[in-house]
């Protein structure tokens, strides 16, 4: 089977270093070939026992001779010790979401927009690449000189989590590309998922161990990939399909999307076979119906198909709108539905006071989970759908969408069914429930001051990862703090002491200290995050970033008129009026001042859009923990000055900003002689460059 005996190094056989290297290289090549056959081609080439024998031999060789252990060795897939936390990774090119289509007319309209954007004839058929929309977790794999060096989750599209250690355990993903001439840098975009059979086996093991079962394959895949202990990930069979590209350096971009996927297949990357190239809207709809018929027999879960204009030059011509490309669309399958009975209708109070009727249901399994509650949206919807307590209803759920009641079954309505009556007072605080003439949603008038439900919702939003990112300050802890009357506003969080926290249920000194540390860390943030954390109606994450970029500091926003607000990109009259109303409230202005007095800060006086961009063309990499700046804050300062922040070090990197516990990125920067800055050095660079513009 091999050029050298498998007993290399044993008694009577003392091969030299060259023979050991040759044997290790042969074993690695064989194991990689068998992995590819099994996990990518779905065609096992040897029995498991024989594979295990080869694996153990390579493992023993590497343990005896550590110099043989390379980053792309198959033995690197077994997992490593737990990580303290996931490192944040800034994507070199953002990972965008897709627009959705549900009806045939949505697809016909998409094709029309594409033809209009490309200025083609009305009867010309555009060529599209059509593929599956997997129900898994989006991931970015970075290969440098053909070797996998980093893997990051999609996150918010701009920043994801470093899950490289866990991705190395996914045997479907090559640790080294199958080519002698790899590109310098290749960002592969794709989906990590769990096949149905592997999901069933995992849940069987969970039951045997008397552990909680996973609700569906997507949750199992996401939970497995986000394990801090990659040895747990290694025990779960995850798969991968490549479907897109980010950065590419040192190679020519293929001319079309279909050619890109063919190239990926040649590189040893798994690509789904269920794909095709079609023409025009009719071709798209035919592909959708064909896949819909095959869907139950597929070995994995999908929730739709994806269409992309095939020619990459045409994609560039069409460009993007907001956070989605104009050249692509996700065509979603109809949501899964089931019938059950309405046991009662209650109302929930949201963080903005919105009163939402919620149906309490007899448990029913739909869309991969057991559903016991479903939203009825608002009072008008309850009346329009004529939902009564006691009705048998149709419940719909698709993916992670909140379950909703679609309609009731008239012939099954019992004689004692009761209609829903919207309460006139908030069930939490007793304040009046009011409904403005131009709004469909009724609201509790109590606000944060009176209504504990609004206070809890607002604090949960304030502490959330995309807002102030206060790790450890979860929903249950906030529930206790509000119920015990310990906090009334977000500013009170920063007045909590260790003693008060440690006295709460399920808290101890160490847990309390962790929360205190997280609160202190959150004080260094960005203006965009701070604005978003305030929970202003109609102001989402993207809008908050636009406001921060436009005004540059909080004082400019506080003093802005409606006309000035309308000058900000994507802000219309509704959002402008909401901002004005929020900052006109003395309690909200006082909250902002209290938060600033508590020590919350961000880079002030950043250049507004169109201002000085003295770092234009400069690329930065952030690594380690900086003394006073979070990575978001440091990245915001760099980007405001025109610089670009990427996730990995290459010859094109201009500077590496390194803090405590900087790892391999710092080492690589030193090897490439790239300038290295600490936090003070970064601030000095920004200040000096700023003065150069004066």
């Amino acid at each position: 089977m091999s050029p050298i005996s498998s007993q290399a190094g044993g008694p009577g056989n003392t091969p030299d270093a060259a023979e050991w290297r040759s044997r290790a290289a042969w074993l690695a090549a064989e194991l990689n070939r068998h992995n590819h056959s099994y996990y990518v081609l779905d065609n096992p080439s040897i029995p498991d026992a024989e594979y295990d024998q080869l694996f153990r031999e390579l493992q023993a060789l590497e343990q005896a001779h550590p110099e043989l252990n390379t980053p792309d060795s198959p033995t690197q897939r077994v997992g490593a010790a737990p990580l303290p936390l996931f490192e944040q990774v800034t994507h070199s090119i953002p990972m965008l979401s897709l627009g959705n289509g549900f009806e045939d007319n949505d697809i016909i309209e998409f094709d029309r927009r594409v033809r209009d954007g490309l200025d083609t004839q009305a009867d010309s058929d555009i060529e599209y690449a059509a593929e599956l929309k997997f129900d898994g977790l989006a991931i970015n794999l970075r290969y440098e000189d053909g070797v996998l060096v980093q893997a990051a989750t999609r996150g918010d599209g701009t920043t994801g989590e470093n899950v490289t250690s866990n991705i190395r355990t996914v045997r479907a993903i090559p640790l080294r590309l199958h080519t002698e001439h790899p590109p310098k840098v290749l960002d592969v975009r794709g989906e990590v998922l769990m096949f149905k059979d592997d999901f069933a086996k995992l849940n069987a093991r969970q039951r045997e161990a008397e552990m909680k079962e996973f609700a569906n394959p997507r949750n199992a895949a996401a939970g497995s990939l986000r394990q801090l202990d990659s040895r747990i990930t290694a025990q779960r069979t995850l798969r991968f399909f490549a479907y897109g590209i980010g950065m590419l350096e040192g190679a020519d971009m293929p001319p079309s999307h279909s050619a890109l996927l063919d190239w990926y297949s040649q590189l040893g990357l798994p690509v789904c076979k269920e794909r095709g190239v079609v023409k025009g809207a009719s071709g798209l709809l035919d592909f959708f119906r064909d896949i819909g018929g095959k869907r139950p027999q597929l070995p994995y879960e999908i929730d739709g198909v994806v269409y992309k204009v095939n020619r990459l030059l045409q994609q560039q011509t069409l460009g993007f709108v907001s956070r989605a490309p104009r050249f692509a669309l996700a065509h979603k399958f109809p949501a899964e539905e089931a019938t059950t009975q309405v046991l009662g209708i209650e109302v929930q109070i949201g963080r903005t006071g919105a009163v939402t009727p919620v149906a309490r249901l007899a448990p029913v399994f739909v869309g991969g989970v057991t559903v016991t509650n479903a939203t009825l949206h608002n009072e008008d919807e309850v009346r329009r759908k004529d939902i009564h307590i006691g009705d048998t209803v149709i419940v719909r759920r698709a993916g992670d969408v909140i379950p909703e009641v679609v309609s009731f079954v008239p012939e099954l309505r019992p004689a004692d069914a009761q209609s829903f009556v919207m309460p006139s007072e908030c069930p939490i605080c007793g304040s009046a429930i009011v409904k403005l003439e131009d709004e469909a949603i009724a609201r509790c008038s109590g606000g944060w001051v009176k209504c504990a439900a609004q206070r809890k919702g607002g604090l949960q939003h304030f502490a959330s990862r995309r807002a102030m990112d206060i790790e450890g300050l979860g929903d249950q802890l906030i529930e206790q703090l509000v119920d015990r009357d310990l906090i009334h506003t977000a500013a009170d969080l920063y007045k909590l002491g260790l003693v008060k926290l440690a006295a709460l249920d399920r808290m101890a000194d160490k847990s309390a200290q962790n929360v205190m540390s997280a609160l202190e860390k959150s004080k260094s943030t960005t203006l965009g995050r701070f604005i978003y954390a305030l929970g202003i109606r109609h102001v989402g994450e993207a809008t908050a970033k636009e406001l921060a970029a436009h005004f540059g500091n909080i004082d400019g926003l506080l003093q802005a008129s409606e006309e000035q607000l309308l000058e900000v990109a994507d802000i219309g009259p509704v959002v402008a009026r909401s901002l004005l109303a929020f900052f006109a409230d003395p309690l909200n202005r006082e909250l902002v001042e209290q938060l600033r007095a508590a020590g919350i800060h961000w880079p002030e006086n950043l250049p507004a859009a169109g201002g000085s961009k003295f770092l234009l063309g400069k690329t930065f990499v952030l690594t380690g923990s900086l003394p006073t700046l979070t990575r978001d804050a440091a990245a915001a300062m760099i980007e405001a000055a025109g610089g670009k922040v990427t996730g990995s070090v290459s010859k094109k990197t201009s500077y590496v900003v390194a803090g405590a516990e900087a790892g391999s990125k710092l080492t690589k920067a030193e090897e490439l002689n790239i300038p290295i800055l600490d936090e003070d050095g970064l601030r000095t660079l920004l200040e000096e460059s700023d003065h150069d513009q004066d």
Side-chain angles (χ1 to χ4, degrees):
M1 174 187 276
S2 67
I4 297 176
S5 166
S6 62
Q7 298 302 316
N13 184 4
T14 56
D16 59 21
E19 289 178 304
W20 280 326
R21 283 196 297 272
S22 176
R23 179 63 179 173
W26 182 86
L27 287 167
E30 281 295 285
L31 290 167
N32 283 330
R33 183 170 66 84
H34 296 314
N35 279 334
H36 186 74
S37 296
Y38 186 93
Y39 291 101
V40 180
L41 303 181
D42 199 23
N43 183 26
S45 50
I46 60 172
D48 289 348
E50 191 172 340
Y51 177 93
D52 292 340
Q53 182 180 353
L54 295 173
F55 187 92
R56 286 194 295 270
E57 183 184 346
L58 178 59
Q59 204 170 34
L61 264 177
E62 291 177 349
Q63 288 173 354
H65 308 282
E67 70 275 8
L68 300 178
N69 196 337
T70 60
D72 59 332
S73 170
T75 61
Q76 297 300 304
R77 298 188 184 278
V78 298
L83 297 171
L85 285 174
F86 288 114
E87 178 188 22
Q88 297 295 296
V89 173
T90 301
H91 300 301
S92 300
I93 297 175
M95 297 180 70
L96 302 176
S97 56
L98 297 177
N100 293 324
F102 298 93
E103 308 294 339
D104 287 3
N105 284 340
D106 296 334
I107 310 310
I108 294 169
E109 179 62 20
F110 166 67
D111 178 60
R112 184 197 63 76
R113 291 196 304 270
V114 168
R115 285 188 283 105
D116 288 349
L118 295 175
D119 196 23
T120 61
Q121 298 297 319
D123 59 350
S124 298
D125 282 337
I126 301 297
E127 187 178 81
Y128 295 98
E131 54 198 358
L132 307 188
K133 186 177 185 300
F134 305 107
D135 197 13
L137 190 70
I139 204 83
N140 182 85
L141 306 178
R142 168 154 291 208
Y143 289 87
E144 294 183 0
D145 297 320
V147 177
L148 178 67
V149 297
Q150 186 184 81
T153 60
R154 179 184 180 275
D156 61 5
T158 301
T159 305
E161 293 175 318
N162 189 333
V163 290
T164 309
S165 296
N166 292 346
I167 280 294
R168 289 185 183 278
T169 72
V170 180
R171 296 175 185 251
I173 296 174
L175 299 179
R176 180 183 290 274
L177 298 176
H178 298 182
T179 176
E180 294 181 0
H181 304 288
K184 183 65 179 174
V185 176
L186 172 62
D187 281 346
V188 178
R189 303 280 165 82
E191 197 94 355
V192 172
L193 64 159
M194 185 174 286
F195 281 20
K196 295 174 184 176
D197 285 349
D198 296 322
F199 172 70
K201 292 175 184 176
L202 172 60
N203 267 350
R205 294 198 300 270
Q206 294 290 104
R207 285 193 298 272
E208 290 173 7
E210 297 184 350
M211 298 174 66
K212 183 179 179 181
E213 295 182 44
F214 291 94
N216 51 54
R218 185 192 185 282
N219 287 355
S224 299
L225 194 60
R226 297 195 72 256
Q227 291 288 330
L228 290 174
D229 188 343
S230 61
R231 291 171 296 190
I232 297 175
T233 310
Q235 296 169 6
R236 300 174 182 176
T237 307
L238 297 177
R239 312 285 182 134
F240 173 79
F241 284 128
Y243 57 63
I245 190 168
M247 177 175 286
L248 176 64
E249 293 181 1
D252 293 332
M253 184 73 76
S256 66
H257 183 74
S258 57
L260 170 68
L261 298 187
D262 290 341
W263 182 46
Y264 277 170
S265 186
Q266 295 169 12
L267 294 176
L269 291 158
V271 176
C272 182
K273 297 176 183 178
E274 299 291 343
R275 57 190 173 95
V277 176
V278 302
K279 288 190 174 182
S282 60
L284 296 176
L285 293 173
D286 287 344
F287 181 85
F288 180 79
R289 296 183 183 108
D290 179 58
I291 293 299
K294 297 178 180 178
R295 186 184 182 191
Q297 287 75 46
L298 293 174
Y300 38 74
E301 298 284 0
I302 61 172
D303 54 8
V305 300
V306 174
Y307 310 133
K308 298 173 184 173
V309 172
N310 195 32
R311 308 298 297 181
L312 298 191
L313 284 177
Q314 291 181 329
Q315 290 187 8
Q316 293 174 14
T317 299
L318 290 165
F320 303 86
V321 55
S322 185
R323 291 193 167 193
R326 289 189 176 94
F327 56 80
L329 186 76
H331 190 175
K332 304 291 285 292
F333 289 124
E336 295 188 43
E337 297 178 344
T339 57
T340 187
Q341 187 180 25
V342 178
L343 304 179
I345 299 178
E346 302 173 0
V347 296
Q348 289 182 343
I349 311 299
R351 65 180 176 84
T352 62
V355 181
T356 304
V358 175
R360 305 301 183 195
L361 306 171
V364 60
F365 192 78
V366 55
V369 299
T370 299
V371 171
T372 55
N373 303 316
T375 181
L376 291 165
H377 297 294
N378 55 62
E379 185 180 14
D380 292 345
E381 276 290 283
V382 179
R383 301 283 174 257
R384 185 180 68 79
K385 294 178 178 177
D386 194 24
I387 305 298
H388 284 49
I389 298 168
D391 276 344
T392 295
V393 294
I394 298 171
V395 179
R396 173 185 296 162
R397 184 180 184 276
D400 288 333
V401 177
I402 298 172
E404 66 171 341
V405 174
V406 180
S407 61
F408 79 102
V409 183
E411 58 270 26
L412 296 180
R413 171 168 284 176
D416 60 349
Q418 301 175 21
S419 60
F420 169 71
V421 177
M422 174 66 80
S424 59
E425 295 182 352
C426 173
I428 305 300
C429 68
S431 298
I433 289 178
V434 297
K435 182 178 176 184
L436 300 178
E437 290 184 6
D438 59 345
E439 291 192 1
I441 298 174
R443 298 182 186 277
C444 164
S445 60
W448 271 44
V449 176
K450 292 183 180 180
C451 187
Q454 292 185 58
R455 199 177 311 142
K456 291 174 183 177
L459 289 167
Q460 288 163 1
H461 172 80
F462 183 87
S464 64
R465 186 170 66 86
R466 295 184 180 180
M468 297 303 293
D469 193 19
I470 307 174
E471 190 173 348
L473 191 64
D475 295 355
Q476 293 183 348
L477 185 54
I478 288 174
E479 289 262 352
Q480 289 191 69
L481 290 169
V482 173
D483 289 344
R484 298 191 184 192
D485 204 31
L486 294 177
I487 54 176
H488 298 88
T489 72
D492 292 338
L493 291 170
Y494 297 93
K495 302 173 186 176
L496 289 170
L498 186 62
V499 175
K500 286 184 179 179
L501 278 172
L504 297 175
D505 296 341
R506 300 180 182 178
M507 292 290 285
D509 287 347
K510 184 175 181 180
S511 298
Q513 185 57 61
N514 288 340
V515 174
M516 294 293 294
S517 298
L519 283 164
E520 187 63 31
K521 182 180 178 182
S522 74
K523 291 179 181 180
S524 179
T525 186
T526 66
L527 180 56
R529 279 180 175 268
F530 181 77
I531 295 169
Y532 176 61
L534 293 175
I536 305 167
R537 282 187 65 196
H538 306 303
V539 177
E541 188 179 3
T543 301
K545 286 183 178 179
E546 291 287 353
L547 289 165
H550 184 88
F551 290 102
N553 56 67
I554 192 67
D555 295 322
L557 178 58
L558 287 168
Q559 298 164 10
S561 65
E562 183 172 358
E563 291 75 16
Q564 290 171 320
L565 290 170
L566 291 172
E567 293 174 0
V568 182
D570 297 328
I571 288 187
V574 173
V575 179
R577 286 195 292 269
S578 180
L579 284 160
L580 289 171
F582 182 88
F583 290 120
D585 188 332
L587 291 176
N588 292 332
R589 296 181 77 93
E590 176 63 22
L591 173 63
V592 170
E593 293 309 315
Q594 286 186 11
L595 289 169
R596 294 174 79 178
I600 294 178
H601 60 279
W602 50 85
E604 289 277 9
N605 300 316
L606 300 179
S612 174
K613 298 291 182 182
F614 46 79
L615 291 183
L616 198 63
K618 302 293 185 182
T619 302
F620 291 72
V621 172
L622 304 172
T623 182
S625 300
L626 300 177
T628 66
L629 289 174
T630 64
R631 290 196 183 189
D632 281 337
M637 295 169 70
I638 292 166
E639 290 168 354
K644 181 179 180 181
V645 178
T646 64
S648 62
V649 179
S650 71
K651 290 181 179 178
K652 294 188 176 182
T653 303
S654 306
Y655 298 95
V656 168
V657 182
E661 299 180 3
S664 59
K665 294 178 184 178
L666 176 60
T667 302
K668 187 168 184 179
E670 291 170 341
E671 291 173 354
L672 296 175
N673 293 319
I674 293 169
I676 298 167
L677 305 173
D678 57 12
E679 181 179 316
D680 290 340
L682 173 63
R683 291 183 182 276
T684 300
L685 176 67
L686 292 169
E687 291 170 1
E688 289 177 351
S689 301
D690 195 17
H691 293 156
D692 289 344
Q693 302 298 312
D694 295 341

